[in-house]
């Protein structure tokens, strides 16, 4: 068994025996992997901080058949603010769950890791709205995975949608007025909602966070993206139910 070293973000943690943790980590070059961190629950363990949810850590591990067995870990960036603020924690958890459920196992996903690190940096070290940051991440994640198009043209017929856009999750998102009459389950959306999706898909890097939205448009964008994610990724998103109970 060869020892490997890799850097990654902890997307999920579960108990493993009395003192250990079973982690889902999005690792550089390796993609989504399972990591066993024995003793990580103990405050004295060197794996304690690196094995916490949201931590970006460097692990040393032995590869077993289906998982990595961590022997050492070091924090690169803890994103501590995500754990100390209830709203940031809730949206950070949602972002992690979405990532965990959408990225395939053991397939290099460096684009998603880069997006996740950038979003966590915005969430933890700025006053940018966690609600808006989460929906921007959601749009860019779907775009990165090839599941969402830009919205300046109808995803059914290719016609210009500007100024008269409709939404239909099953038909690929934003569609034109003519197609909305043919496709069941379509409804009109604000121009601001369409523009926000277009902006995030067309831009890259930190620029995707360079805008703000009115409360009304943000609410519609969240709703539209929730339907889209439930249609194309997975129906069951536990952290989203939690967010709704928080009323933030
Ligand atoms: Zn159309």
């Amino acid at each position: 068994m060869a020892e490997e070293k890799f850097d990654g973000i902890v997307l999920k943690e579960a108990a493993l025996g009395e003192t250990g943790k079973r982690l889902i980590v999005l690792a550089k070059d390796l993609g989504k992997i399972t990591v066993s961190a024995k003793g990580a629950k103990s405050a004295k363990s060197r794996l304690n901080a690196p094995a916490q949810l949201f931590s970006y850590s460097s692990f040393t591990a032995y590869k077993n058949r289906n998982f990595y067995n961590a022997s050492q870990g070091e924090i690169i960036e803890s994103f501590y603010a995500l754990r100390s603020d209830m709203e940031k924690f809730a949206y950070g958890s949602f972002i992690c769950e979405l990532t965990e459920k959408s990225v395939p196992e053991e397939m290099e996903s460096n684009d998603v890791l880069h997006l996740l690190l950038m979003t966590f940096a915005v969430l933890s070290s700025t006053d940018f709205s966690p609600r808006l940051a989460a929906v921007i991440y959601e749009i860019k994640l779907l775009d990165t995975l090839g599941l969402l198009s830009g919205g300046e043209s109808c995803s059914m017929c290719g016609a210009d949608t500007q100024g008269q856009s409709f939404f239909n999750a099953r038909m690929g998102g934003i569609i034109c007025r003519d197609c909305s009459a043919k496709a069941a389950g379509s409804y009109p959306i604000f121009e601001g909602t369409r523009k926000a999706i277009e902006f995030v898909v067309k831009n890259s890097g930190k620029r995707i966070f360079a805008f703000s939205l009115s409360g009304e448009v943000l609410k519609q964008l969240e709703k539209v993206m929730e339907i889209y994610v439930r249609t194309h990724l997975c129906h069951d998103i536990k952290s989203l139910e939690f967010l709704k109970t928080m009323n933030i």
Side-chain angles (χ1 to χ4, degrees):
M1 278 196 302
E3 206 175 49
E4 287 186 51
K5 216 173 169 179
F6 54 84
D7 300 341
I9 288 196
V10 178
L11 298 177
K12 191 178 177 180
E13 50 178 7
L16 182 70
E18 273 188 28
T19 58
K21 281 184 185 178
R22 187 175 171 274
L23 313 173
I24 304 293
V25 174
L26 184 63
K28 196 178 167 200
D29 301 331
L30 300 174
K32 184 177 79 176
I33 53 171
T34 302
V35 177
S36 156
K38 281 186 190 137
K41 275 202 233 165
S42 156
K44 285 182 198 159
S45 166
R46 287 183 66 186
L47 283 168
N48 181 273
Q52 287 198 51
L53 185 67
F54 310 135
S55 286
Y56 181 45
S57 310
S58 182
F59 290 101
T60 304
Y62 292 97
K63 172 103 200 271
N64 280 351
R65 199 182 298 170
N66 299 317
F67 64 93
Y68 288 80
N69 213 336
S71 56
Q72 281 183 63
E74 252 177 83
I75 285 268
I76 301 168
E77 171 65 64
S78 70
F79 296 114
Y80 176 74
L82 269 64
R83 276 188 290 276
S84 58
D85 177 300
M86 193 60 177
E87 189 182 3
K88 289 180 178 187
F89 178 84
Y91 284 101
S93 301
F94 168 65
I95 286 169
C96 280
E97 185 180 357
L98 209 58
T99 310
E100 197 258 311
K101 288 186 168 164
S102 62
V103 173
E105 270 179 56
E106 300 199 19
M107 189 185 281
E108 184 258 293
S109 303
N110 289 351
D111 286 351
V112 176
L113 178 63
H114 178 72
L115 174 65
L116 185 58
L117 284 168
M118 191 171 66
T119 307
F120 274 5
V122 167
L123 265 183
S124 67
S125 56
T126 73
D127 291 334
F128 194 84
S129 154
R131 269 183 76 185
L132 184 55
V135 80
I136 289 172
Y137 180 80
E138 207 173 3
I139 297 167
K140 202 63 190 171
L141 176 69
L142 288 162
D143 169 39
T144 305
L145 298 171
L147 295 170
L148 183 72
S149 63
E152 73 274 26
S153 56
C154 171
S155 56
M156 285 176 75
C157 75
D160 191 351
T161 54
Q162 293 183 37
Q164 48 139 16
S165 43
F166 288 73
F167 186 82
N168 189 308
R170 262 184 263 145
M171 295 300 166
I174 293 163
I175 59 172
C176 71
R177 183 181 293 276
D178 288 349
C179 289
S180 76
K182 295 175 224 153
S186 308
Y187 55 89
I189 54 169
F190 301 126
E191 180 62 2
T193 303
R194 190 198 64 74
K195 273 187 173 166
I197 295 172
E198 183 186 357
F199 184 86
V200 176
V201 171
K202 273 191 173 169
N203 287 285
S204 58
K206 280 191 178 154
R207 207 172 138 64
I208 61 171
F209 297 98
F211 70 101
S212 60
L213 293 176
S214 71
E216 197 183 32
V217 172
L218 177 56
K219 202 171 172 185
Q220 184 181 70
L221 186 61
E222 281 179 326
K223 191 181 161 209
V224 154
M225 292 313 298
E226 179 186 341
I227 297 167
Y228 203 83
V229 159
R230 288 192 196 273
T231 306
H232 294 277
L233 276 183
C234 59
H235 188 73
D236 180 32
I237 311 162
K238 287 188 196 85
S239 53
L240 197 56
E241 303 307 325
F242 176 66
L243 275 172
K244 285 178 182 171
T245 64
M246 282 181 69
N247 280 325
I248 47 177

